[in-house]
């Protein structure tokens, strides 16, 4: 009997298997169509993105081209402007130098210092001179120095300012090389502003070969000592108070 049941169930299994096979194929076809549709959509998106990328690349290339042109134009204008400014500054500086020379050579500037006359003595030592008699009478600017030199030398001009009973160096000129003798006038490389009451100093690293007399002035000195900007000194520590030296030495400028 068991054998008969097995024989009867075999056709049923075959029938069921035959019915399920077409269903699986149909589902696969539907899935395949769905995937193809999704793939087509993705391809369209990719194509759209590629088109957009190409457009952006063209815009970027055009932007770079325009930027290079603008850069060249700006560079050209900058070079022209720089050259023009340089020429104008040089022209103005030449005119200023001529103007300064004219004022100095024709004694049209204000002068502060000892009388520029030929004197009998000079000091061959390295000195730091401080003129306590001829203070700056009014605020203004200094443009140069003048002195009666007995021998060639080197010098630096200083400006002292009175602060708490001290003389403080607030400015110094470049080193001036004096190659001739007699009355020499020379301009500073740059002008310097001064205030009323400022005191003038002159440093000679080799020899103070400026002519002087005794008894009519109050120029004191330090031996072999250079006071640099920011340093200070008390007037009482300067030497030569009893000598009352008067030097043929002073500065030119435009004072108010």
């Amino acid at each position: 009997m068991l054998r008969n049941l097995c024989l009867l169930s075999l056709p049923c299994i075959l029938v069921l298997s035959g019915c399920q096979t077409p269903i699986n194929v149909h589902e696969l076809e539907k899935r395949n169509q769905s995937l193809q549709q999704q793939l087509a959509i993705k391809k369209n998106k990719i194509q759209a993105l590629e088109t957009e990328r190409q457009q952006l690349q063209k815009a970027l290339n055009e932007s770079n081209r325009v930027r290079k042109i603008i850069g060249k134009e700006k560079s050209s204008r900058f070079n022209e402007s720089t050259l023009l400014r340089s020429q104008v500054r040089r022209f103005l500086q030449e005119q200023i130098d001529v103007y300064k020379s004219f004022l100095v050579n024709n004694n049209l500037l204000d002068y502060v210092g000892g009388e520029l006359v030929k004197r009998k003595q000079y000091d061959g030592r390295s000195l730091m001179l401080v003129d306590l008699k001829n203070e700056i009478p009014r605020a203004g600017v200094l443009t140069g120095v003048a002195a009666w030199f007995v021998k060639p030398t080197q010098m630096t001009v200083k400006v002292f300012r009175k602060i708490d009973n001290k003389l403080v160096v607030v400015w110094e000129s470049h080193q001036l090389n004096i190659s001739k003798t007699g009355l020499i006038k020379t301009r500073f490389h740059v002008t310097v502003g001064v205030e009323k009451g400022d005191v003038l100093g002159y440093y000679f690293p080799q020899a103070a070969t400026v002519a002087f007399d005794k008894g009519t002035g109050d120029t004191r000195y330090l031996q072999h000592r250079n006071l640099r900007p920011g340093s200070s000194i008390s007037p009482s520590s300067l030497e030569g108070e009893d000598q009352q030296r008067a030097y043929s030495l002073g500065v030119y400028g435009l004072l108010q």
Side-chain angles (χ1 to χ4, degrees):
M1 184 175 178
L2 179 60
R3 181 180 180 183
N4 292 333
L5 289 173
C6 291
L7 292 173
L8 290 172
S9 62
L10 182 60
C12 294
I13 294 172
L14 293 174
V15 170
L16 291 173
S17 299
C19 294
Q20 288 179 353
T21 300
I23 294 174
N24 291 337
V25 171
H26 182 66
E27 289 180 356
L28 290 174
E29 289 178 350
K30 289 178 64 177
R31 290 180 182 178
N32 186 36
Q33 290 177 357
S34 176
L35 291 173
Q36 288 180 352
Q37 291 176 355
Q38 294 179 13
L39 179 61
I41 293 172
K42 296 295 184 182
K43 286 183 178 180
N44 291 335
K45 288 184 177 180
I46 292 173
Q47 186 175 2
L49 290 173
E50 178 63 21
T51 301
E52 184 179 359
R53 186 193 68 79
Q54 292 177 357
Q55 292 175 349
L56 291 174
Q57 185 63 47
K58 289 181 180 180
L60 178 61
N61 293 339
E62 179 65 16
S63 176
N64 289 335
R65 185 186 68 83
V66 173
R67 182 175 57 82
K68 289 180 180 180
I69 294 174
I70 293 175
K72 289 181 180 179
E73 292 176 349
K74 288 179 64 177
S75 177
S76 176
R77 288 195 297 269
F78 175 78
N79 292 335
E80 291 177 357
S81 177
T82 301
L83 178 60
L84 179 60
R85 288 197 300 269
S86 176
Q87 292 174 342
V88 170
R89 285 196 298 266
R90 184 165 57 251
F91 172 77
L92 291 177
Q93 187 60 52
E94 290 174 354
Q95 297 302 310
I96 291 172
D97 291 341
V98 171
Y99 172 68
K100 288 180 179 178
S101 297
F102 174 79
L103 292 176
V104 171
N105 294 332
N106 291 277
N107 298 321
L108 298 177
L109 292 173
D110 297 303
Y111 175 76
V112 181
E115 293 297 326
L116 298 173
V117 296
K118 188 175 182 179
R119 301 177 189 269
K120 296 180 180 180
Q121 303 181 61
Y122 75 92
D123 200 321
R125 297 174 295 176
S126 171
L127 295 180
M128 174 77 234
L129 302 180
V130 181
D131 188 353
L132 298 180
K133 181 178 181 179
N134 299 293
E135 297 181 353
I136 299 296
R138 300 179 303 279
V141 294
L142 302 182
T143 60
V145 62
W148 192 287
F149 292 95
V150 179
K151 292 183 178 181
T153 189
Q154 296 175 332
M155 67 178 298
T156 303
V157 181
K158 316 272 185 175
V159 174
F160 292 85
R161 190 153 295 159
K162 298 176 183 178
I163 301 176
D164 296 332
N165 298 320
K166 295 279 188 177
L167 295 177
V168 180
V169 182
V170 295
W171 178 83
E172 69 176 7
S173 70
H174 291 289
Q175 181 170 278
L176 305 173
N177 297 315
I178 309 301
S179 59
K180 298 180 180 180
T181 60
L183 180 58
I184 304 297
K185 300 177 181 179
T186 183
R187 297 196 312 270
F188 299 139
H189 288 81
V190 294
T191 59
V192 55
V194 290
E195 298 180 1
K196 180 180 179 180
D198 284 349
V199 175
L200 299 169
Y202 310 89
Y203 176 64
F204 296 86
Q206 297 178 349
T209 60
V210 177
F212 72 91
D213 288 323
K214 295 181 179 180
T216 60
D218 191 12
T219 298
R220 305 181 193 181
Y221 58 87
L222 292 172
Q223 298 185 50
H224 307 287
R225 183 178 174 186
N226 183 18
L227 297 176
R228 303 304 304 274
S231 60
S232 63
I233 191 170
S234 173
S236 60
S237 63
L238 297 169
E239 302 177 47
E241 180 180 3
D242 58 332
Q243 299 179 27
Q244 297 182 330
R245 291 187 178 188
Y247 280 83
S248 296
L249 176 63
V251 294
Y252 283 100
L254 292 170
L255 305 181
Q256 297 176 359

